[in-house]
Amino acid sequence: MALVEGSSLIALVLLAVPLKYAADWPVGVKIIGPIHGALFIWATIALVVTLSRGQLSPLRSLGVFLASLIPFGGLWSHRMMRRQLDKAPATAV
């Protein structure tokens, strides 16, 4: 989820906003903005659920949340979470 939300922020900041101001084309922001907003809310809810289940420490949760506020931060938190999952013992489903 962090990867998807982070990618939407990158698309908004590096694609839609420059097109809005450089090319006078605000349609990108009108489309990507609400999509990013919905993904941000969804990712935040998923983070709270993960925290409440004890699957992530409060400090790591804070780090993931703060990373979601900056471009490319979602990529960092995705990599951090992937490393943590790879180190965790496998559990039966």
Side-chain angles (χ1 to χ4, degrees):
M1 191 63 221
L3 185 61
V4 173
E5 189 276 330
S7 298
S8 73
L9 178 59
I10 291 169
L12 182 64
V13 171
L14 298 182
L15 190 78
V17 172
L19 285 173
K20 177 180 179 178
Y21 293 106
D24 195 28
W25 194 67
V27 175
V29 173
K30 288 181 181 180
I31 294 170
I32 297 175
I35 292 170
H36 167 67
L39 289 172
F40 179 79
I41 291 169
W42 187 17
T44 302
I45 291 169
L47 182 61
V48 169
V49 168
T50 303
L51 176 63
S52 69
R53 290 181 179 172
Q55 296 171 322
L56 201 58
S57 72
L59 187 60
R60 289 236 174 166
S61 298
L62 178 62
V64 169
F65 179 75
L66 292 176
S68 73
L69 300 176
I70 57 172
F72 299 102
L75 302 176
W76 170 82
S77 63
H78 173 73
R79 187 172 28 165
M80 183 265 308
M81 299 277 283
R82 175 57 41 207
R83 283 188 204 147
Q84 183 173 339
L85 289 173
D86 289 343
K87 289 180 184 178
T91 57
V93 176

